[in-house]
Amino acid sequence: MFESDTGQEDFTIDFEEICNGLTALSTNLTGLQSFLAVMPATVLEEIYSVHGQTLLQSNVRNFLNFTNKKNQKMRETMAEEPDKFFAYNNGLTVTATDIEYKKLDSAVKINKLTNLNIVNGGQTTCSIFFAPREKTWRYVDKIDLSKVFVPMKLTVINSSKETDEEGYEQAEEFKNNIAQYANFQTAVINAD
């Protein structure tokens, strides 16, 4: 913990080992590493089972369980229309402090991410993790996470204290802004 740049123990997720890497599109923004990927629910479930709440440290909400109507709908979609989950879900907004990837023809293959943090999408993550484990729900046996996929937007923020204190503070502010702005979604009511 003392040697960590982030105030927590650093961890790396090896996507190459888990799922042969995540294919993603890379942006061409100067000085900014951002990627769009498709996260298989089976992979999200696996990394949450290993890292748990560590993945959600910058997330603004705790899991609201399945009494929340949005989480109930996600659970129902996983059971009844898993192939439509990707289209219905807003996805994950995540940050990481480091990335290892391989360039492909028109995309990249993400092999490793260090300090993955889900800044928006905690309800989605926990719904995917807990829905197949909710033994009291009558349709739990219908959930097949291999058919569920989630959109994911990744921004790599190099927030190493080794650069300089000002650069570190700017990186942390940027990460906080991503979390804040990703959560400025307007609620849609049924009348809309």
Side-chain angles (χ1 to χ4, degrees):
M1 293 290 287
F2 178 74
E3 294 178 6
S4 170
D5 292 331
T6 61
Q8 66 186 26
E9 187 174 350
D10 290 341
F11 65 96
T12 299
I13 297 173
D14 189 338
F15 288 101
E16 190 172 31
E17 181 180 300
I18 296 170
C19 61
N20 201 25
L22 287 178
T23 303
L25 298 175
S26 175
T27 60
N28 292 321
L29 301 172
T30 305
L32 182 64
Q33 287 185 294
S34 289
F35 304 85
L36 289 175
V38 176
M39 174 68 78
T42 54
V43 173
L44 186 58
E45 178 192 37
E46 183 173 339
I47 64 175
Y48 187 82
S49 72
V50 173
H51 299 285
Q53 290 294 310
T54 302
L55 298 174
L56 303 173
Q57 288 190 357
S58 293
N59 202 285
V60 297
R61 295 182 191 92
N62 287 326
F63 181 55
L64 301 173
N65 71 44
F66 293 109
T67 58
N68 176 287
K69 287 187 182 209
K70 292 178 183 107
N71 294 350
Q72 288 174 8
K73 286 292 188 189
M74 281 191 272
R75 178 183 63 184
E76 289 170 16
T77 302
M78 283 185 265
E80 297 169 8
E81 300 178 289
D83 55 323
K84 294 184 176 141
F85 193 91
F86 184 88
Y88 293 161
N89 192 272
N90 287 337
L92 309 175
T93 301
V94 303
T95 62
T97 58
D98 197 17
I99 185 171
E100 287 182 26
Y101 64 90
K102 178 182 173 185
K103 289 187 179 189
L104 305 173
D105 289 335
S106 60
V108 299
K109 180 80 72 167
I110 298 172
N111 295 323
K112 293 182 182 179
L113 289 174
T114 302
N115 299 323
L116 178 89
N117 202 301
I118 300 168
V119 299
N120 186 278
Q123 299 304 306
T124 297
T125 301
C126 290
S127 291
I128 286 170
F129 182 77
F130 288 112
R133 292 165 173 76
E134 190 187 25
K135 299 300 180 199
T136 58
W137 189 54
R138 65 180 179 240
Y139 301 113
V140 69
D141 293 334
K142 291 179 70 177
I143 294 176
D144 179 0
L145 291 182
S146 69
K147 298 178 181 177
V148 177
F149 295 89
V150 183
M152 182 180 85
K153 179 177 68 171
L154 163 68
T155 302
V156 179
I157 303 171
N158 186 350
S159 58
S160 172
K161 286 184 179 178
E162 294 174 6
T163 52
D164 62 21
E165 190 66 29
E166 183 179 341
Y168 174 77
E169 289 174 10
Q170 288 174 346
E172 287 301 300
E173 181 180 351
F174 183 48
K175 178 178 156 183
N176 291 336
N177 285 343
I178 292 171
Q180 182 180 5
Y181 297 158
N183 284 285
F184 273 158
Q185 297 174 356
T186 306
V188 178
I189 59 174
N190 286 337
D192 292 341

